Amino acid sequence: MPTVFYQGHDIVITDDVYAIWKPEPQVFDLEALEDLRVEHDGRPGRMVLLVAGALVTVGAAAAMTLTDGAGQYVIAAAVLSVPPLTGRAIRIFTPVVWLLRASYGGAGVTLFASSNAITLLRVRRSLMRAFAANAANVERLDRTGYADAYRRLNSLL
């Protein structure tokens, strides 16, 4: 009976397979998975919001030299408030998506994707434990096979 290392709503990791149920069911044999890595999806919207915020700040700073009196206070408030608002907008509108990727049969596959880094690290850690258990099972089977072959060879001689 396989040992379950992680079980979520849409994935199951055992010492033999990595199974995904959503968006479409897929089962990956752990022995064929290679080059496991964690990446993050850099969305282009983040750069657009960052550039827009920088342009607004530079424009407000330039407008500060053109105005005098009470208008400078309004522009100074705009210059001070735009960077935090831009940062908040970046976090709200373009969350970072963390991806767990690997190579399976020579093709790149995405095993797991989440905007929650802690969940992704839990899945990765469970997968690493499953790899270790799978390797231990394979080594044990190999040793057992060699012992049987050695015994048969001795009985023949």
Side-chain angles (χ1 to χ4, degrees), residues 54-67:
L55 288 176
V56 168
T57 303
V58 169
M64 197 168 183
T65 61
L66 300 175
T67 60

Side-chain angles (χ1 to χ4, degrees), residues 48-82:
V48 170
L49 287 173
L50 184 64
V51 168
L55 288 176
V56 168
T57 303
V58 169
M64 197 168 183
T65 61
L66 300 175
T67 60
D68 52 336
Q72 284 187 337
Y73 293 115
V74 172
I75 294 174
V79 168
L80 293 175
S81 66
V82 166

Side-chain angles (χ1 to χ4, degrees), residues 78-101:
V79 168
L80 293 175
S81 66
V82 166
L85 291 176
T86 302
R88 184 71 179 157
I90 288 172
R91 283 189 295 278
I92 290 172
F93 295 122
T94 59
V96 175
V97 177
W98 295 94
L99 305 167
L100 184 63
R101 294 195 176 179

